[in-house]
Structure formats: C-alpha cells, structure tokens
Amino acid sequence: MMQKETDVAVIGGGPAGLAAAIEANKGGCSVTIIERDDGLGGILQQCIHPGFGLHEFKEELAGPEYAQRYIDMLGETKVDVMLGTMVLDMTPKKEILAINEQGVVKVQAKAIVLAMGCRERTRGAIKIPGYRPTGVYTAGTAQRFVNIEGFMPGTRYVILGSGDIGMIMARRLTWEGAKVEAVVEIMSYPSGLIRNKVQCLDDFGIPLYLSHTVVRVHGKDRVTGITIARVDENWKMVPGTEIFFSCDTLLLSVGLIPENEVSRKAGIRLARTNGPEVNQFLQTNVEGVFACGNVLQVHDLVDNVAIEAKRAGAMAAMYATGIRLPSINSPDAVPLVAGRGIGYVLPIKVNTGVDLALASRIGPVNVSLRVKRPVDDVYVRVKNGAKEVYKKFFKHLRPSEMVIFELSAAALNAIDKAQPIEAYLEPKPAKELSEAKVA
Ligand SMILES: Cc1cc2nc3c(=O)[nH]c(=O)nc-3n(C[C@H](O)[C@H](O)[C@H](O)COP(=O)(O)OP(=O)(O)OC[C@H]3O[C@@H](n4cnc5c(N)ncnc54)[C@H](O)[C@@H]3O)c2cc1C
C-alpha cells in the first residue's frame, strides 16, 4: 500500500479544490490534491460556454479557461497532485483511503479540505411514470457527451427542469442542429439564473412551460415522445392539460446533490443544504476538516466558489500549523437560523468570543443564503434577539441567485450567545415604496 503524509489534503481538484490548495500552500503547508478524474478543473472542463470569472478576473471566460488560470497558478506552487485517485474513506483522525491504478493509497493529513463538488439528481429521484427506454439522460451527462466526448445523445429533445445546466444545454443542442421542443419546469418560475433564461431560451425561441411537469415517457426501447401537463399549487397534475411532444431524448436538469458520502463516513453532520454543517471558519463538526465549493452549497457563480475555497484553504493551513480554531461544537457557537422566507443560511453556527488577534486575521465573516421563492421589494434582516446585525434592501430576490454579505468582527463580538441569530425577509412597508415612487 502506498502511504503519504501531508499537512493539508484537498479532496477534489475542481475550482474549489484548486483555490483552496493554492491558499493552503501560501500558508506555509505541504498540500496534496486528490482528484478522481484524469485532469484538474472539475465540472468547468465541460462548461465551454462563457460567463465565468467576471468578478475575479474582470473578464468573461469559458469554464476551461477559468480552470486553466488556476491550474497555471497551481503550477507555480509545490502542491502535489494525485490524479486518477478516488477517495473512498476518511476518518476523524484525518486518515484518507483512496484507490488508483497502483492500488490502495493511504494519506495521513493534519487538516483536510472537502471540495468534492456535487452530482445531478437522476430519474430515480423524481419518479417519472412510463417505461425505461434509452434516451433519458441528465443534462450534465449530455453536456459531457457533446462538449468532451464529441457526440450527440439525440436529435429532438424535451428538457425537464429549468436549472442552469438544462437551459445552457437547450442552447448548446440547438447550436449543434438539434430541435429542443420545450423546457418544462414544475415551479411557477425558472429555477436557474434569469440571464440564462434570456440568453439560452428566449433568444432561440425555445418555449419554457412553467408549472408543468413530465407525466409520461413514451417508447419501449428508445424514447419516442414525452407528455407534459400543468400542475396545481400542490404539484398535482391538472387533467385535460396534457401536451404531447414527439422526441427521442429527455434531459433532466432537476437539481444537484453535494457529494457527501465520504464526509458522512467520517461522522460529519450534514445541514439542510446536504452539505456539511460549518461555522464561520468553514470548519465542520470534525475539527480540522473544512468544506467549500459545491460540496458545501450549490453555487451559481464560480467566483464565489473561489472566495469560499480560499478561506477554507487558509483556515486549513492555520489548523495544520497548530492554530486551534473555535469549534462548531463549542457552547460559544450560536445557531444562525433561516427565518421567514429564507431557504437556508450558512454558516450554520457562528462562534462568539473569538480571540481578537484571530478575528482580525480571518477578517469579516461571509454569510450566504437563498430565498425560498421569488420576492420583490424586501429587506434581508439578520437579528440576534432585539439587536440588528444586518439589514439590506433588495428590489428582486430569486432562489437561483445566492445572496452573500459580510458580518464584521465588531457585529460578531456584540452577539448575545443566549439568543440565536436569525436571517429573515421583511417586505418593504407600502408607505416607503410609494414615497420612493414619488421621489
Ligand atoms: C452546467 C454548469 C454551468 C455553470 N455555469 C456557470 C457560469 O456560467 N458562471 C459561473 O460563474 N459558474 C457557473 N457554474 C458553477 C460553477 O461551475 C460551479 O459552481 C463550480 O464548478 C463548482 O466547483 P467545485 O470545485 O466545488 O466542484 P466541481 O467542479 O464539481 O469539482 C469537484 C471535483 O471533485 C472531484 N471528486 C469528487 N468526489 C471525489 C472523490 N471521492 N475522490 C476524488 N475526487 C473527487 C470531482 O471529480 C471533481 O473534479 C456552472 C455549473 C454547471 C454545472
């Protein structure tokens, strides 16, 4: 068995793993990236559309270009990369068991960064009635076929789910000469970014059926058609609203699930996001294990992945060099809860009474949240008992767009640990709205 020791082990070599590894290395640590694929870059390698790096590099890059920037930066470090190596197990003592062509590999780390990304939900997760013919793929699998393997999975498509991958694939397949009959969404609003609806569906005349779902897959050996129908507010099919589309392929873009099987084995508690519970240091309940990127929460923008991952890398380096970061299990960790209108909020807990020197070293805390459904003219408020910790007005908020804001060290120092911290939505009073219109 091959054995290896490293200060920081990073599981996953996508944008999160790359950014975390570079940062941990800057913190003076030996770092090893363990990646199951044959190359670095993660999901970005199949995202050949532009739209990456607008904030970080002030340029609109394609996914592989963005990934290459980080791969080049990594090339200037001494970070060790193990490709074609799949992590199978991990213990709270930070012993990692992986497998590659040489056999079993054991990596003993002082700190670990989880950066395994997420995977797509499949047909089994959503229970579509009908036969099981070929021609049903997840949108990400189709993206890999078209953009990396170089072949088309079909000629006429229906896409279920208006997540970003589904909408991006609707445009991509149209460019390749296929006919996309419809994108079908069970919610009454698109579940991906509005910019993707405009640029990928509207600009190509691809119809989006909101409050509709697939009720039948036709065909025994190969998909021959799809029937969709309208649903009511309880997602029950409305009889008589069926529409049949003749097609040979159904793509599913129905959500992403963080890859946390390995995390669970190490006793890491998962939150509502299906990602690990973390505090403001991005540290899980297993001390010295940190999480970032899509394995923590599904991100819409890679720039935010990089910011989060750099913090996780820096925290892991601090831990590996002997600085004990406050634990999420400590009685000083105050729950940060999702209140009215909020789907989830991260971190799950905020440690109070953090040593001032440490607090100034880590800087302000990033809080990220998503709303449950689209809302207009609202305040996002964060309160700790009667104390206001954060308040900001938003004209529009959509579940597809993550809200990120900072809590200052001063705000955190003033937290009363006997009370939870709650993030919630508050509609802007009608009076304030009408005054704004007059002005
Ligand atoms: C189709 C699509 C379109 C997007 N479009 C945009 C866009 O236009 N603009 C934008 O800013 N963002 C976009 N994003 C979002 C952005 O690409 C992702 O948020 C980002 O790639 C997530 O990075 P990550 O490193 O967390 O995960 P990934 O990129 O998924 O990387 C995870 C890595 O971990 C590895 N791994 C997993 N498990 C193991 C294991 N057990 N052992 C070893 N290795 C493992 C995987 O092989 C993978 O390489 C898009 C995402 C998708 C899917």
Side-chain angles (χ1 to χ4, degrees):
M1 185 197 295
M2 186 186 146
Q3 304 216 25
K4 186 177 166 42
E5 287 188 5
T6 186
D7 290 338
V8 177
V10 177
I11 310 180
L18 290 167
I22 293 167
E23 208 62 24
N25 190 242
K26 275 189 203 157
C29 290
S30 62
V31 182
T32 305
I33 296 181
I34 310 171
E35 167 56 55
R36 66 182 171 193
D37 218 336
D38 294 334
L40 293 169
I43 196 75
L44 292 189
Q45 297 296 15
Q46 65 181 61
C47 300
I48 62 171
H49 58 279
F52 297 85
L54 279 167
H55 299 281
E56 192 177 4
F57 297 114
K58 310 281 176 268
E59 279 178 71
E60 199 173 7
L61 304 171
E65 287 176 312
Y66 182 98
Q68 196 56 46
R69 298 261 168 127
Y70 270 93
I71 294 169
D72 291 346
M73 284 186 246
L74 191 85
E76 286 161 23
T77 69
K78 289 204 164 65
V79 171
D80 191 18
V81 179
M82 299 173 81
L83 292 175
T85 307
M86 166 103 180
V87 173
L88 301 176
D89 209 350
M90 183 182 102
T91 70
K93 292 199 168 146
K94 298 164 203 77
E95 187 182 83
I96 294 170
L97 270 188
I99 190 153
N100 63 19
E101 276 184 341
Q102 278 83 52
V104 177
V105 186
K106 199 191 230 177
V107 179
Q108 179 63 61
K110 291 181 183 154
I112 295 176
V113 178
L114 306 172
M116 292 92 81
C118 55
R119 62 166 177 266
E120 294 175 284
R121 291 173 82 206
T122 58
R123 181 175 178 174
I126 51 167
K127 303 190 184 94
I128 305 171
Y131 287 106
R132 296 285 180 271
T134 53
V136 181
Y137 302 92
T138 61
T141 303
Q143 187 178 50
R144 187 177 171 94
F145 285 162
V146 179
N147 293 348
I148 295 189
E149 316 284 342
F151 60 87
M152 292 280 280
T155 56
R156 287 176 83 176
Y157 295 78
V158 167
I159 300 177
L160 176 60
S162 59
D164 291 317
I165 317 179
M167 294 200 283
I168 285 163
M169 280 313 288
R171 176 179 65 182
R172 182 79 184 101
L173 294 163
T174 307
W175 273 337
E176 289 298 331
K179 173 90 177 111
V180 178
E181 299 290 348
V183 175
V184 184
E185 170 59 59
I186 198 164
M187 308 298 278
S188 56
Y189 51 86
S191 60
L193 297 172
I194 293 298
R195 76 168 195 212
N196 282 334
K197 176 188 174 291
V198 173
Q199 293 172 6
C200 302
L201 304 187
D202 301 353
D203 286 358
F204 292 85
I206 298 167
L208 170 62
Y209 290 84
L210 295 173
S211 300
H212 278 72
T213 192
V214 169
V215 292
R216 186 134 207 102
V217 176
H218 304 265
K220 271 195 177 168
D221 298 324
R222 173 83 202 191
V223 172
T224 54
I226 296 293
T227 299
I228 69 166
R230 187 140 43 82
V231 294
D232 63 18
E233 59 280 6
N234 300 313
W235 290 0
K236 278 216 161 136
M237 173 189 157
V238 180
T241 60
E242 295 90 340
I243 309 170
F244 173 77
F245 294 102
S246 177
C247 63
D248 55 24
T249 310
L250 171 67
L251 294 192
L252 304 175
S253 177
V254 289
L256 299 165
I257 309 168
E259 292 264 13
N260 275 306
E261 283 67 25
V262 171
S263 318
R264 264 201 214 104
K265 284 190 192 171
I268 288 171
R269 283 197 304 266
L270 300 188
R272 219 157 154 171
T273 49
N274 278 322
E277 289 189 356
V278 291
N279 61 6
Q280 71 262 45
F281 308 103
L282 299 174
Q283 185 171 228
T284 67
N285 61 302
V286 176
E287 283 185 37
V289 179
F290 302 81
C292 58
N294 277 4
V295 83
L296 177 61
Q297 55 178 335
V298 177
H299 286 263
D300 28 88
L301 294 181
V302 74
D303 304 271
N304 295 333
V305 170
I307 294 170
E308 193 174 83
K310 282 177 192 168
R311 171 168 284 233
M315 296 297 117
M318 282 167 79
Y319 186 91
T321 51
I323 298 170
R324 287 294 164 262
L325 298 166
S327 162
I328 194 170
N329 305 321
S330 147
D332 289 337
V334 180
L336 172 52
V337 295
R340 193 173 52 232
I342 306 289
Y344 77 82
V345 58
L346 275 181
I348 284 294
K349 283 189 179 174
V350 174
N351 285 80
T352 55
V354 176
D355 172 72
L356 280 182
L358 180 61
S360 71
R361 222 172 136 182
I362 69 153
V365 168
N366 272 348
V367 173
S368 43
L369 57 82
R370 285 184 193 270
V371 293
K372 276 191 183 147
R373 53 188 62 86
V375 278
D376 296 328
D377 298 314
V378 285
Y379 285 103
V380 171
R381 298 185 74 170
V382 181
K383 282 196 149 188
N384 168 232
K387 219 175 302 158
E388 185 103 76
V389 181
Y390 174 83
K391 180 180 178 185
K392 189 172 176 195
F393 174 72
F394 289 85
K395 188 77 194 136
H396 309 289
L397 282 179
R398 303 285 174 262
S400 55
E401 288 159 18
M402 190 189 281
V403 178
I404 302 182
F405 55 89
E406 286 181 354
L407 292 187
S408 65
L412 291 175
N413 267 346
I415 294 290
D416 169 7
K417 65 181 179 186
Q419 313 252 25
I421 311 168
E422 187 186 16
Y424 62 99
L425 296 182
E426 188 174 271
K428 189 168 189 169
K431 189 169 167 281
E432 279 183 39
L433 279 174
S434 55
E435 279 168 7
K437 269 189 200 138
V438 172

